[in-house]
Amino acid sequence: MTRISIAIDGPASSGKSTVAKIIANELNYIYTDTGAMYRAVTYLAIKHHIAFSDETELVDLINKNPISFEQMADGQHVFVAGQDVTSDIRQPDVTRAVSEVAAHSKVREALVAIQKKIGEDGGVVMDGRDIGTAVLPKAEVKIFLVASVSERAQRRHKENLEKNIPTDLEELTKEIQARDEYDSTRKVSPLKQAEDAIRIDTTGKTIQEVVQAIKEVIQQKGYFLD
Ligand code: CDP
Ligand code: CDP
């Protein structure tokens, strides 16, 4: 059976990783969270006191600290140079700086090369901002998820409350808007819907409804799910 590539892009907190994980699990495909890779580099920059503007040093960090994913009982974990950074990369200081780090062309070149390699044989669900446009431009299925800013902020707020992370809805709304703006207007591979991507507005939709909508797109394109 053909093992296709599925690209899922969209703005912050539109539900990409949640639905990508479910679909990858159901299809027995690899799931790759490319945002986690940009976050890992940002985490390393903070740890090693590298300026977010220093492109050369940031690329050096990527070359010296291999990023890897490992499936564990409680989900996928992210490692840099063998250190489990799964929760560190979600901290607010990383979130605030990640878009600046991700805007450097050489940082993107280095991470996109790794992502292309992961996706080269298909059987992958990859989520991010530029998967359909730059990382896997030949992906058989491309999805662009959107949702209103207020719903996205509320989703993150709820998630933080559940995880006992201090949270402020107004702050989250501003942070999401600022990141969307930065990601959509950068020069290299900005957040943008690929011409051949299917747009799904997830406002008011449950996770299962979004998963179902994506499965329908996969089937409409003539690929079987089992
Ligand atoms: O999950 P959340 O929406 O908070 O963001 P993420 O997917 O973890 O991505 C964090 C940041 O990494 C984004 O705001 C982008 O600046 C950057 N990113 C990117 O530039 N390209 C990607 N393919 C994935 C993430
Ligand atoms: O990966 P991305 O930043 O696009 O979003 P996410 O981390 O998958 O989703 C952000 C939050 O929204 C999570 O807590 C999801 O459970 C929730 N969510 C939701 O409530 N309804 C959806 N249709 C999709 C996600």
Side-chain angles (χ1 to χ4, degrees):
M1 199 174 46
T2 326
R3 289 173 64 78
I4 62 169
S5 298
I6 303 173
I8 304 186
D9 290 301
S13 216
S14 52
K16 302 178 297 295
S17 61
T18 306
V19 298
K21 272 180 217 161
I22 295 172
I23 290 169
N25 196 34
E26 288 189 17
L27 296 177
N28 210 10
Y29 278 16
I30 297 168
Y31 162 62
T32 308
D33 176 356
T34 63
M37 300 170 80
Y38 291 96
R39 285 174 177 275
V41 180
T42 308
Y43 165 79
L44 284 171
I46 294 169
K47 184 176 167 188
H48 294 281
H49 307 287
I50 305 291
F52 304 131
S53 56
D54 194 335
E55 188 171 26
T56 310
E57 286 292 323
L58 291 171
V59 172
D60 200 45
L61 281 177
I62 299 173
N63 293 334
K64 288 188 178 144
N65 298 275
I67 301 169
S68 59
F69 296 96
E70 207 175 301
Q71 199 54 43
M72 302 182 75
D74 62 344
Q76 196 174 71
H77 283 227
V78 188
F79 291 81
V80 271
Q83 181 196 346
D84 188 339
V85 297
T86 312
S87 55
D88 301 299
I89 64 169
R90 304 284 158 200
Q91 296 307 313
D93 55 344
V94 172
T95 304
R96 270 192 299 273
V98 62
S99 289
E100 184 178 349
V101 169
H104 294 295
S105 61
K106 292 204 165 65
V107 167
R108 302 200 70 82
E109 254 171 49
L111 294 187
V112 168
I114 301 168
Q115 293 155 8
K116 279 180 182 282
K117 195 128 193 67
I118 295 171
E120 69 188 352
D121 297 326
V124 67
V125 184
M126 201 174 277
D127 87 61
R129 302 293 187 286
D130 61 339
I131 311 305
T133 53
V135 180
L136 303 175
K138 295 197 179 129
E140 286 83 352
V141 174
K142 297 182 186 178
I143 305 290
F144 196 79
L145 293 185
V146 295
S148 71
V149 173
S150 68
E151 175 147 341
R152 289 187 283 130
Q154 270 157 13
R155 287 176 183 172
R156 257 301 129 77
H157 187 51
K158 185 163 172 269
E159 185 182 321
N160 287 343
L161 288 173
E162 283 163 6
K163 290 184 183 161
N164 281 325
I165 297 172
T167 185
D168 179 294
L169 187 57
E170 207 175 314
E171 279 289 304
L172 275 175
T173 309
K174 281 192 203 140
E175 180 262 302
I176 284 176
Q177 278 172 320
R179 207 142 51 89
D180 285 355
E181 170 71 14
Y182 208 121
D183 292 344
S184 320
T185 54
R186 69 176 175 230
K187 288 209 183 74
V188 200
S189 312
L191 164 67
K192 189 171 132 240
Q193 180 175 344
E195 274 176 23
D196 50 351
I198 305 292
R199 188 182 187 92
I200 300 175
D201 187 343
T202 74
T203 312
K205 287 201 172 72
T206 64
I207 292 164
Q208 271 317 317
E209 283 170 339
V210 180
V211 168
Q212 190 51 36
I214 296 176
K215 282 183 178 174
E216 280 165 22
V217 171
I218 298 172
Q219 274 165 334
Q220 276 159 13
K221 287 190 174 280
Y223 299 103
F224 295 101
L225 293 166
D226 46 37

